[in-house]
Amino acid sequence: MNTVIDVFLITGFLGSGKTTFLNHFIDAFPPERKLTILMNEFGEIGIDGILVEGDDLDILEINRGSIFCACVKTDFIKGLVRILEDIQPDILVIEATGTADPGDMKRDLRLPIFRNRFHFRDQICIIDAANFPAVYETFASVEKQMTAATCFVVNKIDLAETLEIERIREIIHRHHPDPTVFETVFGRIPVGRFTTCRNEADAKTSFAKTIRREADVEAAIAALLKDPFRVTLPPDALSSTVWTLKEATTEAFHALVRQLPSRLLRAKGFVRLNGEIRLFNWVMGRPEIIAADTREIPDHILGRLVFIGSADVLRELSTLGRHHPLVLEPA
């Protein structure tokens, strides 16, 4: 067991392919090493955790907003405490919500209560080539994620024109003079460089208990939230809502999808159609309904769709949900 935990941060705007990339990371991870995933989702229920593939994985989920904002910073720090004290992996991968500003990540890992046990290795920024022109000009979080990143995965290049991909390269180089860039589809890149751990000889301390009192954790969080230089607000004014749906026919659900606002940014969830479970994905006006894994979907997840968008789009959704026969509980 390593005495220092290597940390990778995966960022990328809504629907860019972070979870797909994460599954490739897991597939390539050495079986003799221990991996922990900390997933942060913007919505109040966690869909992505169900989509992560891997046996005997330690997965922690934090919902309700970005772990880099004050609203759930407490949950994030306590999650890191648990990882450090109880799980003690070789590598920790943090998948941030698509709306995150990751500027404070390195400083959080260097909090005195952690005693230099976290070693930040890399930030991998997933870029959706198909939707990049629209989101880069509109959402501040995209530029902030690119500014903080050290490695870029330009994903979905099969859905983008050559000129669009060239522009993405230019913008990446504008932020970084010598970046590491991969261009791919379905998030497939050689991930061996990320799955190797630091040599144990590099460690300077043993894995004795680091944090002895709950009061120490609370004091560290209180000091962190009072720091005027930390990021405490999300960079973009986005919100989320959840619908609970009845079981439906495929035709009826397709009809519902066609009524969704075209300006909706992201939607996802598991639904039962014609007696079979399907995964619904919506990214920037592109809907997708695919066969779901045969694993059991928890009752609190099945039939619930998470929507992310601006306030006016969610108001439009609310009006639609209140009157639609398939919707049991519009938020």
Side-chain angles (χ1 to χ4, degrees), residues 9 16 35 50 98 110-111 136 145 177 207-208 230 242 244 252 261 267 288 292 294:
L9 173 63
S16 58
L35 174 66
I50 304 296
R110 291 197 300 265
L111 285 174
Y136 183 75
Q145 290 168 14
F207 242 133
R230 290 187 178 272
V242 179
T244 301
E288 179 185 47
T294 55

Side-chain angles (χ1 to χ4, degrees), residues 26-313:
I26 294 168
D27 287 342
F29 196 77
E32 70 275 10
R33 295 291 190 174
K34 187 173 183 180
L35 174 66
T36 294
I37 310 295
L38 194 159
M39 305 188 74
N40 176 215
E41 292 199 58
F42 191 79
E44 66 181 65
I45 62 173
I47 303 297
D48 288 348
I50 304 296
L51 299 173
V52 172
E53 302 168 359
D55 298 327
D56 301 320
L57 269 179
D58 289 304
I59 301 178
L60 280 71
E61 295 184 78
I62 299 176
N63 303 322
R64 302 183 293 108
S66 169
I67 54 179
F68 305 103
C69 299
C71 50
V72 289
K73 181 74 83 172
T74 297
D75 294 343
F76 176 53
I77 299 302
K78 289 185 176 181
L80 291 177
V81 170
R82 180 184 168 194
I83 289 166
L84 186 60
E85 293 286 281
D86 301 328
I87 303 175
Q88 300 180 4
D90 296 297
I91 287 182
L92 166 64
V93 175
I94 301 173
E95 181 190 331
T97 175
T99 61
D101 174 357
D104 279 340
M105 177 70 186
K106 295 177 185 179
R107 290 203 290 171
D108 289 346
L109 294 174
R110 291 197 300 265
L111 285 174
I113 57 170
F114 298 140
R115 302 197 182 171
N116 297 316
R117 302 293 176 82
F118 289 113
H119 172 237
F120 188 83
R121 284 271 298 274
D122 228 335
Q123 180 187 327
I124 306 164
C125 182
I126 315 296
I127 293 175
D128 179 354
N131 295 297
F132 181 80
V135 299
Y136 183 75
E137 299 295 339
T138 307
F139 299 102
S141 54
V142 178
E143 183 171 2
K144 291 180 181 297
Q145 290 168 14
M146 294 182 70
T147 299
T150 48
C151 176
F152 299 87
V153 177
V154 183
N155 197 26
K156 307 183 188 180
I157 60 172
D158 56 324
L159 301 177
E161 299 292 335
T162 301
L163 289 177
E164 292 174 349
I165 297 173
E166 289 178 358
R167 180 167 182 251
I168 293 171
R169 294 192 199 110
E170 291 172 359
I171 293 175
I172 289 174
H173 281 272
R174 189 186 307 165
H175 290 286
H176 299 274
D178 187 25
T180 300
V181 181
F182 299 92
E183 296 176 6
T184 187
V185 296
F186 299 110
R188 295 186 183 277
I189 70 167
V191 296
R193 59 172 285 182
F194 306 115
T195 58
T196 56
C197 303
R198 281 163 50 111
N199 190 296
E200 289 193 39
D202 292 338
K204 298 179 181 179
T205 52
S206 63
F207 242 133
K209 289 290 184 180
T210 303
I211 303 148
R212 294 178 173 83
R213 297 190 306 142
E214 182 70 19
D216 296 335
V217 179
E218 297 296 341
I221 293 171
L224 183 154
L225 295 179
K226 291 179 181 178
D227 186 343
F229 298 104
R230 290 187 178 272
V231 175
T232 57
L233 294 173
D236 298 298
L238 299 175
S239 302
S240 70
T241 190
V242 179
W243 282 2
T244 301
L245 299 182
K246 300 177 184 178
E247 181 173 348
T249 65
T250 301
E251 294 76 12
F253 185 72
H254 275 280
L256 171 59
V257 170
R258 287 193 293 271
Q259 297 178 64
L260 296 178
S262 60
R263 294 179 298 119
L264 179 67
L265 293 177
R266 187 78 171 100
K268 56 187 172 180
F270 294 95
V271 294
R272 192 184 296 277
L273 305 178
N274 294 342
E276 297 184 349
I277 297 176
R278 295 286 185 264
L279 172 63
F280 172 62
N281 259 314
W282 170 292
V283 181
M284 314 286 176
R286 289 191 173 113
E288 179 185 47
I289 302 170
I290 59 177
D293 193 298
T294 55
R295 290 172 296 174
E296 183 176 349
I297 307 299
D299 290 340
H300 72 282
I301 297 292
L302 183 59
R304 306 194 76 195
L305 296 186
V306 177
F307 300 96
I308 301 173
S310 61
D312 59 331
V313 169

